[in-house]
Amino acid sequence: MPRGKTAGKALGKPALQILFSEALHQQKHSSTADSSPPTHAIMSEDAQVASMDRILQEISAVGRKLEVVDNAMVVLTAETRSMRLEIEGFQSQISGLDHRVAAVESQVTLQTDRDQELLHLLSKLTDLEDRSRRNNIRFLGFPEGIEGTDILSLTCRTRSPN
């Protein structure tokens, strides 16, 4: 049966009435053979046709409701597909961002290592500068530049007056 179609719509109302009429006709002929007629055979033919019309109306009402549900399912399916595509796009964006964050983290780690090495080297430089100042000899009481170009002659001159 096609999707969204009901038996009443597929056969059409006149076709169903013909089928029901034939069923009633067969029922009348078979009831003459039985001594006790079935309870539904007691109803008049007009009442049975009215009952069948009511059943057909209910079936077509159910068919319309099923069509509405079918249309809603089609809409939901389309929305689900579009959401799936959006989610896949978000996943690819997140994956790209994850790679970028990993690269930035590695650069930050390298920068931190470089900063620590720079601080260590700066500490060493300060220590070396301080040690080189400690090894210098300072003479107090002599004017600046008295030694001239030859410092050894100055030291010899200061010792000779004895």
Side-chain angles (χ1 to χ4, degrees):
M1 192 178 315
R3 191 173 190 176
K5 300 289 184 186
T6 62
K9 287 192 176 187
L11 293 175
K13 187 174 178 180
L16 280 177
Q17 285 179 345
I18 292 171
L19 287 174
F20 283 124
S21 297
E22 288 177 5
L24 283 176
H25 183 64
Q26 288 176 358
Q27 194 175 32
K28 285 181 183 177
H29 290 297
S30 66
S31 66
T32 56
D34 290 339
S35 61
S36 63
T39 57
H40 62 276
I42 296 173
M43 293 177 23
S44 69
E45 193 170 316
D46 291 335
Q48 289 178 351
V49 170
S51 173
M52 283 188 282
D53 283 341
R54 202 169 358 110
I55 291 171
L56 284 175
Q57 288 173 353
E58 289 177 14
I59 288 174
S60 49
V62 169
R64 285 190 297 274
K65 289 178 183 178
L66 286 176
E67 285 180 15
V68 169
V69 170
D70 187 44
N71 291 337
M73 289 299 293
V74 168
V75 169
L76 286 174
T77 302
E79 288 178 3
T80 304
R81 285 184 185 140
S82 76
M83 286 181 186
R84 185 182 322 137
L85 291 175
E86 284 182 41
I87 289 171
E88 288 173 359
F90 291 148
Q91 286 174 337
S92 66
Q93 287 178 353
I94 288 171
S95 175
L97 290 175
D98 188 39
H99 293 306
R100 290 175 62 189
V101 165
V104 168
E105 285 175 343
S106 67
Q107 289 177 353
V108 166
T109 303
L110 287 174
Q111 188 66 34
T112 304
D113 292 344
R114 287 180 190 153
D115 288 347
Q116 289 176 351
E117 185 180 357
L118 182 62
L119 287 173
H120 179 69
L121 290 174
L122 187 60
S123 172
K124 275 184 154 182
L125 178 65
T126 304
D127 186 49
L128 288 173
E129 285 176 347
D130 287 346
R131 287 177 192 260
S132 71
R133 275 192 226 127
R134 288 185 204 136
N135 291 334
N136 288 341
I137 301 173
R138 295 181 68 187
F139 293 103
L140 300 174
F142 292 98
E144 192 69 34
I146 194 167
E147 75 276 1
T149 59
D150 188 16
I151 195 154
L152 289 176
S153 66
L154 177 68
T155 55
C156 292
R157 283 186 289 180
T158 56
R159 286 189 182 176
S160 54
N162 263 345

